[in-house]
Amino acid sequence: MDFSEKRVLVTGAAGGIGLSIVRMFKAAGAKVAAADLNVDMVQADAHLPGNLTDSSYTDNLPTAAEKALGGLDIVVNNAGIMRRGPVTASTDQDFDISVDVNVKAPFRICRAAIPILAKNGGGAIVNTASCWGVHPGPDHAVYCMTKAAIASLTQCMGRDHAHQGIRINAVCPNEVDTPMLRTGFELRGFNPTTAIADLNKTVPIGRIAQPDDIAEVVLFLASDHARYMCGELLEINGGKSVA
């Protein structure tokens, strides 16, 4: 895939999947603006650090990326946060930060980016939803709810803005071997290496996903190879359905 002369905004750029997305876009010739709380270690053309819970930051992020890169063609709303537990074990803080990061931030970024992309003749937006938002699983009520929201928003926007030459799709991963997953195991008292080895056994393909597995699909959806896809929720699960 050739992304020469394409300008890309990636949120969650410092995370496991985000780093892979940035690296692959760069390798394919794109200019990339990296957005995250701290982007010092991200090899990107522009660094746009900030907090996705800050509405003024998210409202202005696409314009900032356009100015920094000399244009904007692709937006990847990759950032996400996971809070575990059923509703009865979920706090107001769990709810608020999950909605802010997983729903409000991509909503605001898309709302600001779509006019920019339309002005330039079109483009692509790729959102990160989750298999757990399409097929809700146990003990992740708030996470599943927010990922279902971004999945539905993707489908709505995909239909509403296709006529402007803007293709909007979502990747829906299952478990991915990222620092977030490993930290989650540690917080629950598990050895991350052992826990992931056990998790690998539950996947028909033989292992959970690596960040590159997801990043390559993101690039596909952003590319002309996916030129007839809009409003799609593409599950990446290695054959494993949600428990």
Side-chain angles (χ1 to χ4, degrees):
M1 289 178 280
D2 182 10
F3 287 95
S4 299
E5 301 183 1
K6 296 296 184 181
R7 288 73 53 96
V8 186
L9 168 64
V10 180
T11 71
I17 297 173
L19 285 171
S20 289
I21 292 171
V22 171
R23 175 174 50 79
M24 287 187 181
F25 269 121
K26 289 286 295 173
K31 290 184 178 180
V32 181
D36 211 319
L37 284 169
N38 187 330
V39 290
D40 291 344
M41 302 303 292
V42 183
Q43 300 297 314
D45 299 281
H47 295 88
L48 303 172
N51 192 327
L52 289 177
T53 66
D54 179 355
S55 60
S56 63
Y57 172 68
T58 52
D59 283 341
N60 291 292
L61 192 54
T63 298
E66 181 188 30
K67 289 180 179 178
L69 300 176
L72 187 62
D73 305 289
I74 298 165
V75 175
V76 182
N77 284 302
N78 168 69
I81 191 170
M82 179 183 286
R83 290 293 184 265
R84 296 173 175 84
V87 166
T88 49
S90 301
T91 66
D92 286 351
Q93 184 182 28
D94 292 331
F95 179 88
D96 289 341
I97 194 169
S98 297
V99 171
D100 282 348
V101 174
N102 294 351
V103 183
K104 285 186 179 179
F107 166 80
R108 289 179 176 277
I109 290 168
C110 287
R111 184 175 64 182
I114 287 169
I116 296 173
L117 298 179
K119 174 187 66 178
N120 295 329
I125 297 175
V126 183
N127 297 320
T128 299
S130 173
C131 290
W132 289 64
V134 181
H135 312 286
D139 296 326
H140 286 71
V142 173
Y143 177 74
C144 290
M145 177 197 73
T146 59
K147 288 302 185 179
I150 195 62
S152 179
L153 181 63
T154 297
Q155 292 175 314
C156 292
M157 292 190 300
R159 172 176 288 187
D160 289 345
H161 301 287
H163 73 282
Q164 295 170 285
I166 303 170
R167 296 184 303 98
I168 305 173
N169 297 286
V171 292
C172 301
N174 207 324
E175 295 104 342
V176 186
D177 187 357
T178 62
M180 184 172 74
L181 182 70
R182 289 177 176 266
T183 299
F185 281 131
E186 290 176 351
L187 291 173
R188 288 177 285 164
F190 297 106
N191 179 300
T193 301
T194 303
I196 287 175
D198 290 339
L199 202 54
N200 287 339
K201 299 173 185 177
T202 69
V203 185
I205 209 169
R207 62 173 177 82
I208 64 172
Q210 293 296 315
D212 281 5
D213 297 322
I214 311 304
E216 289 196 15
V217 179
V218 170
L219 264 71
F220 164 72
L221 288 175
S223 77
D224 288 340
H225 294 290
R227 58 188 172 273
Y228 203 64
M229 296 178 68
C230 55
E232 289 298 324
L233 309 176
L234 200 54
E235 294 189 49
I236 314 168
N237 58 18
K240 178 182 177 180
S241 54
V242 175

